[in-house]
Structure formats: structure tokens, C-alpha cells
Amino acid sequence: MASAMTGMNPLLLVPEMLLFAGGLVALLGGSFLPRTRQWVTRVVALIVLAGAAATAVVIGTKGAQWAFDGTFAIDSATTVTRVVVALATLLVVGIAADEVADSPRESETYALLLFSATGACLLGGATDLMVLVVGFLLASIPIYGLIGMAGGARSAEAAMKAYLMGALFGILLLLGVTMLYGLSGTTGYIDLAQRLAAVSAGAMVAGVVAVAAGLLFEAGGVPGHFWIPDAVEGTSATAATFLTTVPKVGALVALYRLLEALPPDRAWALLVAVLAVTGMTVGNLAAFWQDDPRRLLGWSTVSQVGYLLVAVVVVRGSDLALPALLVYLAGYAVTNVAAFAVTAALPERRDLTSYRGLSSSHPWLAGALVVALLGLVGTPPTAVFVGKLTVASAAWDGGHAWLVIVLLVNTVLSLFYYLRWLAPAFRPSAGGAADPGPWSARTAVVSAVLTVALGVGGGVLWQLVDGPMLPM
């Protein structure tokens, strides 16, 4: 194992290098392009994202490996994180094509998306606390700029809340990393379990909880969720879609890796189970009363983190945990993008009742909305249904049957507020309907088709993600 971890192997990080270099090209290139030719940076972003996903698959087919002296793992979890992050960001660029085309901030938007996507990929493969910190900062700092670039008082307020919460939870994460290093004398996951097993339980638990809090801010889960609804409501659809989708993928895989690297004889499962139940319940109860569709989706994403954490609860209790988490993350990403893309295509409709008549005026968008919202509920044959089913199976296999019941109850509860949005779409329209944004509408339909395709091909998807994770 030690010899396998020796060496830098920088070529194993080609996907991250492509994303970061693409961000630099978009940022610098945009400074020299006239406003009417900023679309060139959009093409650069699309090429880079497709290239990052393709190189991730190629590297992943060569088997599990270490990079940078054991500080970064190349395994199934990293490969899935890279592919999902790249493809989800590619879909977000499709939404941005309507919102920021020929605007003064077009190239900066693509640059920030690519920088944050790089951080999400680093989070997914980090096996060292210092790499984890770099991934956290790179994933979160561009998001503050994305939120603020929407303009207006609500955007400024949302950016300020996100920044302050990010600063607070970033400090907590750094404090936790410092405590774990002080206790163990190492930042590498491979040595953490052995060295932390002999230290004070109280100090170790405090350090781990602080690091986990930082990752949950990145994922938008309880207790780091307070900024999500305000940010989603106050910013552009591009930023809202990205911040509720992409960082979540890297952060939850990072949390899974961290808990796997810790001593097994602690009550980590109970702690994560409490966070999962709280997230599911708080997100669903808060979403009940929302009239703004984006704010509803903001609370919905908080509840989805709760469902996803169920797989993390059984990180040591079931062999189904990791593939279930990865399947759910892939399904959630395309489904969440589909829902937000519908709101981006119809930006003037900021109330649930304003969707009246959507099925007659824009039947394809109405179909995408039905697939997306029933998908978020977990209705077959969508991808999130496969994700919830496999996550529940993992929890049952790991001896947490009660958690499966809580998941099912919350799933039924969530149906109410998603139907509040769907019902007006199938009622007669009260007036004329504006044309939807063409690129956002196409993105919504494509994402909805992917949601169904991943659900129907759930067995194939499971086989693709069911690979080994490098042992800690």
C-alpha cells in the first residue's frame, strides 16, 4: 500500500486541471472579447466540461490509484463525482445561455462555474485534510460571486448571507482540521483511524463535528442550510441551480470518505442519523408553505440532503451504502437541474399559481416539470426513485430499519408541496403566455429525459458505479 501511494502522478488530476484551466481561459479571454462575442467563452466552457467528463471516465477505467502521495484517491467515488459534477455543470451552462448571453458578466459566470466545479471534484477525491480545505474554499468562494452577480437588493442580501454563513462554517471546518491534526499529528486519512483511536474521545468528536459542519454547509444540509432558500430565491436561476446541485455532490462524497477513515467504535452513525432525520423533516415542513417555486426548491434540496445522508449513516454497516449514495447523487443532479430549468425558462412566473395553463401553452415544459417534481418525490421510473430505493435498502441492510420508515414518511409528506406546484399547471389558463427561454426549455426537457433514462436503466447505472473505494 505504501509503495502504491508514493509519487505525484499529476496526470491523474487531468479533469481538475482542465476545469481550472478552462476557468482561467474564460476569465482572461472574456476581458479581450467584445460583448457580442462572449459566447466564445461559453463554447470553451462546454468543451472543457465534456473533456473533463471524458478524461475522468478514461482514468477511472484504469482502476483505483493514489495521486499526490496518497492525498487524493482515484476510485469509483472520485470518478462518479467528476462525471456528475462535469455533466451537471454542463447542463447549468445551458440554463446560463438564456440568462447571461451578451451580458457584461457572461464570461465571469462561466469562469466561476468552472472554478467551483473544480473544488467540488477535489472534495470528492480528497484523502487528506489539507486537500479537503482547498476543495472547500475553491468550491464555495466562487458561489458567493455567482449569487451576487444577479444584481439588485435581494441578490446582494443573498450573497451577504451566503458569505457570512460560509465564513462561519469555513472557520469551523478549519478549526476541526486543526484539532484533528493536533490530536493525531497527521492530515492523511490513511493514518487517522489508527492514531485517533488512542486519543481523547471528546476532543476528537469536537474536531470531526466541526469538519462535518463545514461539509454540510457546502452540501446545503442541516445545520448549514439557513442560507440556501434566501440564496435560491434572490439570485439567478443559473446560480440557484448550480449551488443546489454541484457542490452537494463533492461535499457528501467527502463526508462519506471522512467517516470511513475514522475509528469505527464511535457513535458516528447515530450523529449522522440525527442530522438526516432533521434535514428531511425541516426541509419538507418548511417547503409546505412556500409560494415561490425557487424557494420551494431551495427547501426541497435541504430535505434531499437528509435522504442522501441515510446512505452515509451506514458507511460501515452495509456494502450497499457507497453505490446507493452515488446512484442517488447522479439521479438527484439531473432531476434538480430539470426542475430549476423550468423556472429559468419562465422567469416571470415567481408564484405557484402563475403556472396555470402551462400544460396547454407549453406542454413539453409541463411534461418536464411533471417528471422533475415526481422524480424529486421518488416516483418510478425516475432516477431519484432508484436512489431512494437503494438508499433505503442500504439502511435496512445496515440495521437501521427505523430510518427507512422515517424516509418513507417524509417522502409521502413531500408529495403535498410538489402537487401544490403541479396542480395549477393543468388548470385552464387565465391569460396569454410569454415564450419560454429556448435554451432553458431544451435543458429542462433533456434533463427530464435523462431522469427517466437513468431510472429505467437503474440496473446498468448501479453496475457502473459499484466499484471499489480505496481503503483508508
Side-chain angles (χ1 to χ4, degrees):
M1 178 64 68
S3 60
M5 294 174 57
T6 304
M8 299 297 285
N9 299 326
L11 291 179
L12 295 177
L13 265 71
V14 166
E16 286 77 13
M17 293 177 186
L18 277 175
L19 292 173
F20 194 81
L24 288 177
V25 170
L27 186 63
L28 298 176
S31 303
F32 298 98
L33 289 170
R35 186 177 299 180
T36 55
R37 296 180 69 85
Q38 294 279 312
W39 58 267
V40 174
T41 58
R42 188 191 318 154
V43 175
V44 170
L46 293 173
I47 292 173
V48 164
L49 289 164
T55 53
V57 172
V58 171
I59 293 172
T61 57
K62 296 180 180 178
Q65 305 175 68
W66 295 99
F68 287 85
D69 286 331
T71 60
F72 194 86
I74 310 295
D75 53 21
S76 61
T78 302
T79 301
V80 173
T81 300
R82 286 168 159 179
V83 172
V84 173
V85 164
L87 295 183
T89 307
L90 193 147
L91 292 172
V92 173
V93 172
I95 295 174
D98 281 335
E99 283 197 329
V100 300
D102 298 333
S103 76
R105 296 287 178 264
E106 182 170 8
S107 60
E108 287 89 343
T109 298
Y110 303 136
L112 292 175
L113 290 175
L114 292 173
F115 287 146
S116 187
T118 308
C121 289
L122 285 177
L123 281 174
T127 53
D128 186 282
L129 292 172
M130 297 311 295
V131 178
L132 189 75
V133 171
V134 172
F136 174 86
L137 294 175
L138 194 52
S140 56
I141 291 175
I143 288 177
Y144 311 145
L146 279 171
I147 296 172
M149 280 202 304
R154 294 172 70 182
S155 172
E157 179 186 352
M160 181 60 70
K161 283 184 179 178
Y163 172 75
L164 293 176
M165 293 293 288
L168 172 64
F169 281 92
I171 291 170
L172 280 176
L173 183 138
L174 289 171
L175 178 64
V177 167
T178 304
M179 292 177 68
L180 293 178
Y181 175 71
L183 291 169
S184 66
T186 182
T187 56
Y189 288 7
I190 199 72
D191 297 320
L192 273 180
Q194 181 180 3
R195 299 192 185 187
L196 288 177
V199 304
S200 164
M204 181 186 66
V205 169
V208 173
V209 168
V211 175
L215 293 175
L216 287 171
F217 162 82
E218 200 70 61
V222 172
H225 67 288
F226 293 103
W227 62 286
I228 291 284
D230 290 335
V232 167
E233 183 182 18
T235 188
S236 64
T238 301
T241 310
F242 183 84
L243 71 91
T244 57
T245 307
V246 175
K248 197 185 304 294
V249 179
L252 287 170
V253 173
L255 183 61
Y256 188 99
R257 282 192 193 279
L258 176 67
L259 294 183
E260 190 188 41
L262 295 175
D265 57 341
R266 311 291 181 186
W268 306 122
L270 178 60
L271 173 64
V272 180
V274 170
L275 292 173
V277 172
T278 307
M280 285 186 269
T281 308
V282 168
N284 285 328
L285 291 179
F288 277 164
W289 319 112
Q290 305 304 323
D291 292 322
D292 185 307
R294 291 187 191 171
R295 193 171 179 86
L296 183 150
L297 288 176
W299 281 112
S300 165
T301 197
V302 174
S303 69
Q304 294 289 337
V305 176
Y307 301 134
L308 286 157
L309 283 176
V310 172
V312 183
V313 171
V314 289
V315 58
R316 290 182 178 275
S318 172
D319 293 336
L320 305 176
L322 180 61
L325 176 66
L326 298 178
V327 165
Y328 200 153
L329 283 172
Y332 167 78
V334 292
T335 310
N336 193 56
V337 169
F340 271 102
V342 173
T343 70
L346 304 166
E348 77 285 357
R349 304 193 186 199
R350 297 303 298 266
D351 188 274
L352 298 184
T353 57
S354 65
Y355 278 77
R356 284 179 67 103
L358 182 66
S359 61
S360 56
S361 60
H362 306 299
W364 283 99
L365 269 182
L369 185 65
V370 170
V371 171
L373 296 186
L374 292 184
L376 290 174
V377 173
T379 306
T382 60
V384 174
F385 165 73
V386 179
K388 282 191 178 180
L389 182 64
T390 53
V391 161
S393 301
W396 190 281
D397 183 55
H400 290 75
W402 68 273
L403 202 50
V404 177
I405 296 172
V406 175
L407 186 151
L408 293 175
V409 170
N410 270 280
T411 296
V412 174
L413 289 176
S414 70
L415 183 62
F416 171 75
Y417 60 82
Y418 290 123
L419 288 179
R420 281 188 65 218
W421 188 355
L422 281 179
F426 290 89
R427 290 174 182 155
S429 174
D435 291 334
W439 286 106
S440 299
R442 291 169 189 146
T443 303
V445 173
V446 169
S447 302
V449 170
L450 287 174
T451 298
V452 176
L454 291 178
V456 172
V460 177
L461 179 62
W462 179 273
Q463 291 179 350
L464 289 175
V465 306
D466 188 18
M469 176 181 268
L470 283 171
M472 298 299 151

